[in-house]
Amino acid sequence: MTYSSFLKAEFLVLWRRKQDVFNALLFFIIVVVLFPIGVNSSPEFLAPAAAGIIWCATVLAVLMALESTFKEDHRDGSLEQLVVSGLSLPLLIVLKIIAQWLVVMLPLLITMPLLAEMLYLPSSGFWALIGTLLVGSPSLFFIGVIGGALTVSIKQGAMLVMLLILPFYLPVIIFSTLAVKAAQAGLPYSGFLAMLLAMSLLSLVISPFMTAIAVKASVNA
Amino acid sequence: MNWAWFHKLGSPKWFYSWSKAWALPVFCFGCLCLVIGLVWGLAFAPADYQQGNSFRIIYIHVPVAMLAQSCYLAMGIAGVVFLVWQMKMSPIFIKAMAPVGAIMALIALVSGAIWGKPTWGTWWVWDARLTSVLVLFLLYMGIIALQNTIDDVLLANKAAAVLSVVGLINLPIIKYSVVLLETLHQGPTFTLTKKPEMPAEMWLPLLFSVIGLYCFVAGLVLWRMQSEILLREHRSSWVKQEVTENGL
Amino acid sequence: MQSFASLTISDLWIERAERDLCKGLSFSVQSGDVVRILGENGAGKSSLLKVIVGALSPEEGRIAYSGEDVTLDRSILQQDALYIGHSVGVKQRLSVAENIRWYCPDVCTNVLHEALKSLELIDYMDTPVKKLSAGQTRRVALARLWLSQKTLWLLDEPFASLDVKGVELLEERIQQHALAGGMVILTSHQNLLSLASRDVMLLP
Ligand SMILES: Nc1ncnc2c1ncn2[C@@H]1O[C@H](COP(=O)(O)OP(=O)(O)O)[C@@H](O)[C@H]1O
Ligand SMILES: [Mg+2]
């Protein structure tokens, strides 16, 4: 196995699982739609709340997608092959997350103009929202994958992953919504983006090692 | 530097006999201090000139909130120790500590709410301090849930350690972000702590109850660790000898 | 493949599910050896292979590969080892050819076709593995033995769910590998008198 053959196989598997990716996207849209219908559909409520709604839906969709990151690999033994491949496990995990990020986040980003319009998000806030999603979402993946790795050997892991990981997402959600609010008020928001970037980098440094520990412990459970 | 104590700390047998000698005195000392602090604080300390008697809940709230954070800090450090040195006592410590920390966080939340009613007029305010204690409580519950779900001991040990370490790194960020959220939203002007210039009659009882609660929790956790050690090491000869000699 | 290699295991002790396995086990394997691990169900055969390849950590013991101590960092051994466990590590959603390219990316098409032909998988080259039988899935994993250049083979019950022809084919391949200077450690209940140069018995 080499890093490139690993990455190629990852993309192939994700391509074969495109329905799962599509389901995550649908889930995301449905969660977003719940708010205008369930809470309040007036522009006065939705415009300031839009960023928060979109971020909460993103977080849930990402966690749903991440829960199954290692499940199939664990079942068929290919996760064990990664552990004993002689390649660096943290690096393999980074590659896996990059593949997942591209496949899950790009469709979400593409639906953003439509959803922003439906939630009456003004264009001043829209670009800030896209910025926070681009800069902040990698940290969602890097943190969330730790939960996915810890629960691979558990049958019903999705709920547990939510319970474990959602608290860690709070800062990302807070920084992002504050950034969009600042943009909507015409204030500078690059400080918040810098903080999101810092969180993404910090999680990039720490999470692959933590995930590798979790994967190693999980293959034998 | 002499590292012998560090290696001894990693040995369940040594730790068991050490903690057996210390748990009870520490616990009793803690109870004594706690009773002094609480009785003094709740019954005799002067009332606050702004908040009247309702401020007295700080004698409960402040110690438990401090404990809730300290317990997590200790768990996070134990997690690092386990991941780096594979020390056997670390996961036992984490397992013993998590429910205690969760209860501390819960008491902090409840006492905060009780204090909030007369002060703010509502049971709950999204004040930075209360919010971060709530998140802390959720983190504790996550660790407990994970440990109860995983039945493989090795995986459960690693999982709890990984999660405590990640939590330890994240807690300051969570706290910072929550404070940021509050300052940008113009939060309530009263806060439960940061009282300027408390007179000695007010902070002395607080000091007693803080020290008391620390010792109380230390004793409690030592006991919980002892029973966990006996469970985990039940195959070793020293445990068999211990149980036949002293009973359970 | 290395011209000469050796694997030395000394004073091993594995603890799993509160049981001591392989306590005090020591043995060594040299180029040309085929070692069979024997023991009842649950004696720790699979665990031993996992420890050697580094998927599981032993409680105590030392492992040396070609003179280098790899007890703490198994990566030198792993680069030279081919491990096939109970779950063979074949991706269900990928086709046979894609699976092989995942594991052995450098193999050229002719060689791949030859190997698949001899394993009777050539007709299934583009079939997703989840549509194959258990024996066929194992053959996909075993194709690595023909297509990668690793010295140390660690095979956990490699004959499981293979038919008579498959068993013959595999035995022949193992023999070839040993003659070429490779090392094979396998667990099996198959009678391998002609094949195994040595047995290691695990006591429960
Ligand atoms: N996934 C597992 N989790 C916990 N313990 C296990 C697991 N698999 C095996 N064990 C324990 O390890 C022992 C050895 O198992 P194994 O190495 O698979 O035996 P063998 O391959 O010789 O049949 C078993 O008796 C069992 O108690
Ligand atoms: Mg076996």
Side-chain angles (χ1 to χ4, degrees):
Chain A
M1 213 183 304
T2 59
Y3 293 110
S4 67
S5 78
F6 167 79
L7 195 59
K8 213 168 141 194
E10 283 303 311
F11 276 118
L12 264 175
V13 168
L14 284 171
W15 175 245
R16 303 270 151 82
R17 285 178 56 187
K18 46 190 175 300
Q19 187 59 48
D20 291 1
V21 174
F22 192 61
N23 290 351
L25 182 65
L26 284 180
F27 176 76
F28 166 75
I29 293 173
I30 287 175
V31 174
V32 169
V33 167
L34 284 182
F35 284 85
I37 293 175
V39 188
N40 189 340
S41 60
S42 70
E44 293 76 48
F45 165 73
L46 285 177
I53 294 172
I54 286 180
W55 261 94
C56 289
T58 306
V59 156
L60 292 177
V62 166
L63 271 186
M64 285 304 240
L66 284 179
E67 191 262 333
S68 60
T69 318
F70 296 111
K71 278 253 155 89
E72 275 182 23
D73 294 359
H74 180 59
R75 219 173 299 133
D76 62 25
S78 51
L79 195 59
E80 194 172 32
Q81 289 295 336
L82 298 188
V83 172
V84 305
S85 65
L87 304 176
S88 150
L89 190 55
L91 191 51
L92 291 176
I93 288 163
V94 171
L95 292 179
K96 201 175 174 82
I97 296 173
I98 291 175
Q100 287 246 335
W101 185 85
L102 286 175
V103 170
V104 175
M105 275 318 283
L106 286 187
L108 290 197
L109 284 171
I110 289 169
T111 59
M112 242 9 112
L114 186 66
L115 290 175
E117 200 59 39
M118 287 164 75
L119 296 177
Y120 309 110
L121 184 70
S123 62
S124 57
F126 175 75
W127 291 108
L129 177 66
I130 297 290
T132 57
L133 282 171
L134 278 175
V135 178
S137 63
S139 74
L140 300 185
F141 282 76
F142 280 111
I143 298 172
V145 80
I146 301 176
L150 287 175
T151 55
V152 264
S153 56
I154 299 168
K155 281 227 171 60
Q156 301 296 326
M159 194 65 91
L160 194 58
V161 172
M162 298 263 172
L163 183 61
L164 299 181
I165 299 299
L166 276 179
F168 297 138
Y169 283 174
L170 286 183
V172 185
I173 298 177
I174 290 176
F175 292 145
S176 305
T177 50
L178 287 179
V180 177
K181 272 186 197 140
Q184 275 170 296
L187 300 170
Y189 58 90
S190 52
F192 296 114
L193 288 188
M195 270 187 278
L196 287 173
L197 185 64
M199 277 210 71
S200 286
L201 290 178
L202 183 68
S203 57
L204 164 70
V205 173
I206 292 167
S207 147
F209 295 99
M210 294 294 159
T211 313
I213 292 173
V215 165
K216 271 188 193 158
S218 286
V219 288
N220 294 308
Chain B
M1 186 153 165
N2 186 0
W3 284 92
W5 62 273
F6 193 71
H7 294 294
K8 270 191 198 161
L9 210 59
S11 141
K13 183 182 172 189
W14 182 86
F15 189 90
Y16 185 84
S17 51
W18 177 83
S19 69
K20 227 178 152 179
W22 280 93
L24 191 63
V26 169
F27 185 78
C28 291
F29 176 73
C31 285
L32 189 69
C33 285
L34 201 56
V35 169
I36 294 175
L38 286 183
V39 171
W40 188 358
L42 294 183
F44 299 107
D48 185 72
Y49 72 98
Q50 262 182 318
Q51 302 176 28
N53 278 326
S54 67
F55 99 100
R56 288 180 198 280
I57 197 125
I58 66 162
Y59 296 112
I60 296 171
H61 179 85
V62 171
V64 288
M66 282 173 81
L67 247 298
Q69 290 179 33
S70 307
C71 288
Y72 205 93
L73 180 70
M75 275 167 53
I77 293 171
V80 174
V81 169
F82 183 64
L83 295 185
V84 178
W85 290 286
Q86 313 288 325
M87 187 189 269
K88 257 184 162 180
M89 289 307 301
S90 295
I92 298 177
F93 177 76
I94 294 177
K95 190 164 183 203
M97 194 57 121
V100 178
I103 289 171
M104 291 297 141
L106 188 62
I107 299 176
L109 286 178
V110 171
S111 59
I114 292 173
W115 176 79
K117 186 66 184 167
T119 316
W120 295 323
T122 56
W123 294 106
W124 184 262
V125 168
W126 290 95
D127 144 84
R129 192 179 170 79
L130 282 183
T131 311
S132 54
V133 174
L134 177 63
V135 175
L136 193 60
F137 175 68
L138 292 175
L139 292 183
Y140 279 120
M141 293 317 282
I143 291 184
I144 296 170
L146 189 65
Q147 275 182 332
N148 289 344
T149 316
I150 299 176
D151 43 15
D152 184 88
V153 181
L154 290 178
L155 178 58
N157 287 349
K158 283 270 161 67
V162 164
L163 214 55
S164 342
V165 173
V166 174
L168 187 66
I169 299 168
N170 252 287
L171 259 184
I173 305 176
I174 293 175
K175 259 196 118 150
Y176 172 72
S177 66
V178 173
V179 170
L180 189 69
L181 185 68
E182 187 188 271
T183 49
L184 294 188
H185 279 180
Q186 277 309 319
T189 40
F190 279 120
T191 52
L192 207 38
T193 48
K194 289 199 200 103
K195 300 241 69 188
E197 302 140 35
M198 263 194 198
E201 312 83 272
M202 277 165 100
W203 62 256
L204 254 181
L206 186 60
L207 187 68
F208 265 98
S209 45
V210 168
I211 293 176
L213 195 64
Y214 267 97
C215 293
F216 175 85
V217 164
L220 202 65
V221 169
L222 285 180
W223 267 324
R224 288 179 52 86
M225 286 175 78
Q226 284 174 22
S227 55
E228 186 64 25
I229 291 174
L230 289 186
L231 266 180
R232 291 199 182 195
E233 301 282 315
H234 69 96
R235 288 186 310 148
S236 60
S237 53
W238 71 266
V239 169
K240 283 178 188 142
Q241 193 188 349
E242 173 76 32
V243 172
T244 43
E245 274 175 15
N246 300 335
L248 275 173
Chain C
M1 199 155 80
Q2 287 192 359
S3 54
F4 184 82
S6 68
L7 175 75
T8 311
I9 287 158
S10 31
D11 304 319
L12 201 64
W13 169 28
I14 305 169
E15 191 181 310
R16 227 175 163 204
E18 306 222 313
R19 289 190 50 208
D20 297 328
L21 307 170
C22 310
K23 198 144 193 178
L25 182 74
S26 302
F27 68 94
S28 71
V29 188
Q30 258 106 47
S31 279
D33 281 352
V34 177
V35 173
R36 179 169 61 151
I37 315 279
L38 286 175
E40 344 179 316
N41 292 135
K45 304 181 292 294
S46 302
S47 306
L48 174 61
L49 290 189
K50 282 178 197 230
V51 164
I52 293 175
V53 77
L56 195 67
S57 299
E59 209 74 9
E60 271 172 26
R62 288 173 16 85
I63 298 173
Y65 185 70
S66 292
E68 297 220 34
D69 190 335
V70 292
T71 314
L72 293 179
D73 179 9
R74 215 75 104 234
S75 51
I76 306 173
L77 182 150
Q78 283 169 346
Q79 274 150 23
D80 223 12
L82 195 159
Y83 165 77
I84 300 180
H86 277 294
S87 358
V88 289
V90 169
K91 286 180 179 275
Q92 299 287 312
R93 287 182 196 265
L94 298 188
S95 72
V96 173
E98 285 162 351
N99 257 298
I100 290 170
R101 295 238 174 255
W102 169 67
Y103 197 89
C104 324
D106 307 323
V107 68
C108 67
T109 321
N110 291 340
V111 181
L112 175 66
H113 281 225
E114 280 307 310
L116 290 185
K117 237 176 243 162
S118 60
L119 283 162
E120 293 169 356
L121 285 171
I122 193 79
D123 297 338
Y124 300 93
M125 220 169 97
D126 298 315
T127 315
V129 169
K130 64 178 163 196
K131 295 193 179 144
L132 298 185
S133 77
Q136 285 173 318
T137 307
R138 188 161 281 273
R139 280 168 183 248
V140 177
L142 291 174
R144 295 168 194 163
L145 303 182
W146 275 263
L147 296 170
S148 74
Q149 306 290 317
K150 307 281 181 110
T151 313
L152 175 63
W153 290 1
L154 300 157
L155 309 176
D156 201 351
E157 317 259 357
F159 299 101
S161 60
L162 282 188
D163 56 15
V164 181
K165 245 168 120 183
V167 171
E168 263 172 28
L169 209 61
L170 179 56
E171 281 183 339
E172 193 188 324
R173 179 68 191 124
I174 290 175
Q175 213 141 29
Q176 265 178 18
H177 184 63
L179 284 177
M183 295 184 274
V184 183
I185 303 177
L186 50 83
T187 70
S188 175
H189 302 288
Q190 204 89 18
N191 199 348
L192 297 171
L193 276 184
S194 56
L195 200 59
S197 51
R198 208 138 43 83
D199 284 347
V200 171
M201 188 73 197
L202 296 186
L203 300 173

